Amino acid sequence: MEGHTTGYTYTYYVTSSNATTPIQVSVPAVELTVTPVSASGAPLTTQATVNVTCSGVPIASGVGQQTVVVPIPSSGSITCTITGYSYGKSASTTVTLTSSQAGQTITKTLTIPVSGYYIPGVGFVPVSTFILLAVVIIIIIILIVILLIEYSNWRRRRLAGLLGPPK
């Protein structure tokens, strides 16, 4: 988190024996995993954009599931806003992380209200559109069958007319 202070102080004295020793500072943090799902509960792995903002600082932004490490301030807690966007629909939720959750993995599911069935290359198609499509296909099949029957009858009559009445 660039430009964001977590409120911890650390005093380190440089001596001739530790001048080259790396300084290790341990800051309490939570691993936050955000999974975007559709209204039916199907995971939106490549169809949703997810943004995680904690205390006004953008932490993560990407497509699909996001896993981010969030440092917890010394004052006790940090509030993160999670927003998701998919096929014209958006959703938002907040999660408050406290120092008692340090070291844990918090899983948050973000439900984006896209419904219907996912068709690759098309997106989410509502159930009503599927029903309409099915009805149209059934009507077309019935029309084709009727046309084939009528054509068959016409050929039979034409053949009978060409050969003439049986003698």
Side-chain angles (χ1 to χ4, degrees):
M1 290 174 47
E2 305 88 21
H4 185 72
T5 175
T6 52
Y8 292 97
T9 55
Y10 186 80
T11 308
Y12 186 76
Y13 298 100
V14 178
T15 63
S16 58
S17 63
N18 71 2
T20 58
T21 308
I23 301 173
Q24 291 186 338
V25 179
S26 178
V27 176
V30 171
E31 186 179 82
L32 179 65
T33 301
V34 180
T35 306
V37 296
S38 68
S40 60
L44 299 169
T45 49
T46 58
Q47 300 87 28
T49 306
V50 176
N51 296 309
V52 181
T53 305
C54 297
S55 292
V57 179
I59 302 282
S61 179
V63 175
Q65 182 173 302
Q66 298 294 311
T67 301
V68 61
V69 175
V70 182
I72 298 175
S74 59
S75 57
S77 70
I78 187 168
T79 302
C80 295
T81 304
I82 302 160
T83 54
Y85 182 81
S86 181
Y87 294 105
K89 306 279 184 170
S90 62
S92 180
T93 186
T94 57
V95 59
T96 301
L97 306 170
T98 61
S99 51
S100 63
Q101 295 170 306
Q104 295 180 22
T105 300
I106 307 294
T107 306
K108 196 79 175 158
T109 303
L110 181 66
T111 303
I112 302 172
V114 286
S115 60
Y117 295 98
Y118 177 73
I119 300 175
V122 178
F124 276 88
V125 178
V127 177
S128 59
T129 305
F130 264 118
I131 293 170
L132 178 69
L133 196 61
V135 168
V136 167
I137 289 171
I138 290 169
I139 290 171
I140 289 171
I141 290 171
I142 290 170
L143 286 173
I144 289 171
V145 167
I146 291 171
L147 286 171
L148 286 173
I149 291 170
E150 287 300 318
Y151 177 72
S152 173
N153 290 341
W154 174 79
R155 292 242 352 221
R156 197 176 298 117
R157 281 195 307 272
R158 189 164 171 252
L159 249 160
L162 284 175
L163 295 174
K167 295 177 174 128

